[in-house]
Amino acid sequence: MLDLRLFCIYNMHDNEKATQREVSFMAKQIKKVVLAYSGGLDTSIIIPWLKENYDGCEVIAVSGDVGQGTELDGLEEKAKKTGASKLYVLDLKKDFVENYIFPTMQAGAVYEDKYLLGTSFARPVIAKAIVDIAKKEGADAICHGCTGKGNDQVRFELTIKAFAPEMTIIAPWRIWNIKSREEEIEYAEAHNIPLKINRETNYSKDKNLWHLSHEGLDLEDPANEPQYEKEGFLELGVSPLQAPDKPTYITLHFEKGIPTALNGEEIDSVSLIEALNKIGGENGVGLADLVENRLVGMKSRGVYETPGGTILYEAHRLLETITLDKATQHYKQLIAVKFGEMVYDGQWFTPLREALSAFVSKTQETVTGDVKLRIYKGNVTSAGITSPYSLYSEDIATFDDDGGAYSQKDSEGFINLFGLPLKVKAMLDKKLGK
């Protein structure tokens, strides 16, 4: 009888050979590839790798600008120098904020109590735009630089399947021989590809208008404390310990759950996030250290900076406390968990997510008003909430004379009925001698 371990080894070897044959066959068919290009370590080496392994195919790089800032500087020169025929840089910031960030914020969606989904909802907006370019260019395939261990491969590919189900997808991390970021750096050096990182600062980072994530190096061990006070670690703000000793007050105005004004002045969506990032960053707001459960099954540790998003989520939550009735508010909290999981899992373009968003939109019809916030050393607290749709009645809630607005005698009958099942159960237990 063949030893099971030997069978697995033989089978694995056969699978590897089959994969190689499949790649070799596919290489002959693919003449034009659209690459999701960030200019980071992964995608920097993918351009020459594609041309080496797919018979000198044309590579068209596409960068989605979702607020990476200076990370986009010099990308065209770099992409072409490494072998791309052209580079598209698409301004997706407004689309990102208004069609992905705001609906998620309105839902109150957070992944595992801490993560405000900065990378998660940036992927579908980028992937959808890349599909549009791939169709425009008549591409044979779309390529991304996501690893086989991460969530982003799912987020990119589910979006591609939603809009271009027939499109071939190339994911180098699942087929090449490179096994680590160290080997990626060696490949880049061998091919004279300039990098903005080195072996000592080789954190895996993702930056956009909403957040900045840090993974890898010392953060891979959850026993290690993040070096928030170390110069150069944080990029969007400072540690709460380094924040000013004086609080900052701001007022946000919402119309139907959408923030439209800051400190009494109307402001566009992108500028608002940028302004809140500055205020929050200066005051040490929005740091999250999380060991999260990845979609692919493993746990991973990440440190996130989301200063503006943290402020916005809290302001929106506070406004809902006076504008939503109890049943709606509590049920919305239940669907927020599911909404957050779906965004994290790359299921943005699904019927269920769209249905949940329709429910959330209905709940936001009265979420209009002003929220004053006190921001101090990493904390965001309420300094006052007002709304023309407030369900809070001071006349009823007061500890002083309510002028007959509420009859306290009514509570006796309510308690008797509310507690009747408990009373009946206790009577039965007594009868049975329990």
Side-chain angles (χ1 to χ4, degrees), residues 157-225:
E157 293 186 30
L158 290 190
T159 301
I160 295 168
K161 291 178 186 299
F163 294 99
E166 74 292 342
M167 185 68 68
T168 298
I169 299 172
I170 301 173
W173 267 105
R174 302 204 290 255
I175 53 179
W176 63 15
N177 295 322
I178 296 172
K179 303 299 182 184
S180 68
R181 288 176 67 81
E182 176 71 22
E183 290 183 10
E184 284 187 293
I185 293 175
E186 291 174 359
Y187 183 97
E189 291 173 344
H191 289 74
N192 297 314
I193 300 171
L195 299 174
K196 294 182 179 180
I197 63 170
N198 55 51
R199 288 171 172 78
E200 289 71 38
T201 62
N202 188 21
Y203 285 108
S204 176
K205 297 187 179 185
D206 178 70
K207 182 180 181 181
N208 60 45
L209 187 65
W210 188 247
H211 90 153
L212 174 65
S213 63
H214 309 255
E215 293 179 318
L217 298 181
D218 56 306
L219 297 178
E220 290 189 346
D221 185 351
N224 292 331
E225 179 182 6

Side-chain angles (χ1 to χ4, degrees), residues 398-400 402 405-413:
T398 181
F399 285 98
D400 295 327
D402 59 24
Y406 179 88
S407 175
Q408 300 198 30
K409 293 180 180 179
D410 292 343
S411 61
E412 181 179 357

